[in-house]
Amino acid sequence: MNKGTLFIVSGPSGCGKGTILAEVLKNDNIYYSISATTRDPRPGETDGVNYHFLTKEKFEELIDGNGMLEYASYCGNYYGTPRKPVEDMLAQGKHVILEIEVQGALKVMEKCPEAVSVFILPPSMKELRRRLNKRGTETEDVIERRLEQAGNEIRQADKYDYVMINGDLDDAVRDLMSIIKAQELKKENSEYLINEVLYNA
Ligand code: 5GP
């Protein structure tokens, strides 16, 4: 069995990462890493499903105990990836998707050079503003901060292995699945296939 691949997926808040990932995650062989955060849950979010919602103290305890693969401070809150589930799932041969912002993504690229990184662009800044307004879960002030942050993040998209756009949802889902498939078909990951053809009658 091959070890799974670690995928890093970033894109500005409101670019539609969550909607694309919800489709891609219907595939049983892909595990979505549930992050920890100190931000408050949004209506409809559940602890342990969308995030592990932690106090600042508890989050810092995890950092000190080396329990985080990466973490970053984003718009005034901590966000981080609990290390153990990621390592366990990869060892079991599953792909793991980290949906994380750029600072954390750059740290993971450095620590795990074999990870495959994907940046998701919105079709335009105007459309991003429209989507954030439509979501209606943030105040005007938070939306402005997130848009400013979005510009900073998009300027770093060229540090990722792949850059895709989320205009049409079906196209975007297909694009991300193609990246995952291409990774599976790389020769480094195909040793078992070659052996199967050679040695299984
Ligand atoms: P939101 O508050 O909209 O759920 O997330 C804000 C940003 O934090 C998003 O760009 C999201 O991808 C990122 N994020 C979520 N979890 C993590 C994490 O574990 N680590 C890092 N570095 N960023 C995260």
Side-chain angles (χ1 to χ4, degrees):
M1 184 186 67
N2 283 308
K3 214 175 155 231
T5 296
L6 183 59
F7 290 91
I8 305 166
V9 176
S10 301
S13 183
C15 76
K17 295 180 296 266
T19 319
I20 299 171
L21 288 175
E23 286 302 309
V24 168
L25 290 166
K26 289 182 180 161
N27 184 323
D28 281 348
N29 198 36
I30 305 178
Y31 169 76
Y32 176 80
S33 157
I34 301 170
S35 296
T37 183
T38 57
R39 85 149 160 73
D40 292 333
R42 293 191 188 120
E45 285 185 334
T46 309
D47 186 38
V49 176
N50 307 91
Y51 279 105
H52 301 289
F53 293 100
L54 305 181
T55 60
K56 189 162 173 277
E57 291 68 32
K58 180 74 197 156
F59 198 104
E60 288 175 344
E61 232 173 73
L62 276 169
I63 298 173
D64 292 343
N66 197 25
M68 292 294 186
L69 178 62
E70 62 74 37
Y71 68 94
S73 175
Y74 176 93
C75 293
N77 282 299
Y78 277 134
Y79 291 82
T81 305
R83 175 192 303 280
K84 187 151 181 350
V86 172
E87 291 178 347
D88 289 352
M89 289 295 159
L90 289 174
Q92 285 174 33
K94 291 201 181 241
H95 298 318
V96 174
I97 294 191
L98 308 183
E99 182 198 334
I100 62 178
E101 53 62 69
V102 175
Q103 304 165 64
L106 295 179
K107 285 185 215 157
V108 178
M109 289 177 207
E110 214 177 286
K111 274 193 197 171
C112 313
E114 71 289 356
V116 175
S117 53
V118 184
F119 194 94
I120 303 180
L121 290 169
S124 65
M125 294 306 281
K126 198 168 148 209
E127 174 62 13
L128 186 64
R129 177 184 290 275
R130 196 190 66 78
R131 288 182 188 173
L132 280 173
N133 278 322
K134 189 172 150 222
R135 188 156 82 183
T137 47
E138 274 93 9
T139 60
E140 193 53 42
D141 181 45
V142 171
I143 290 178
E144 286 308 320
R145 269 186 27 217
R146 285 185 174 232
L147 280 169
E148 194 186 316
Q149 187 72 25
N152 297 335
E153 294 199 302
I154 292 172
R155 280 183 206 97
Q156 304 196 68
D158 64 346
K159 296 181 175 146
Y160 287 66
D161 297 318
Y162 296 93
V163 179
M164 50 174 273
I165 200 156
N166 182 21
D168 176 78
L169 177 64
D170 290 342
D171 286 345
V173 170
R174 250 193 312 272
D175 284 351
L176 187 52
M177 286 306 299
S178 306
I179 294 168
I180 294 171
K181 189 70 196 171
Q183 181 62 23
E184 286 176 347
L185 297 178
K186 276 199 151 173
K187 63 176 187 287
E188 294 83 349
N189 297 328
S190 301
E191 203 179 334
Y192 78 98
L193 266 184
I194 296 170
N195 286 333
E196 189 137 314
V197 169
L198 280 177
Y199 303 115
N200 279 358

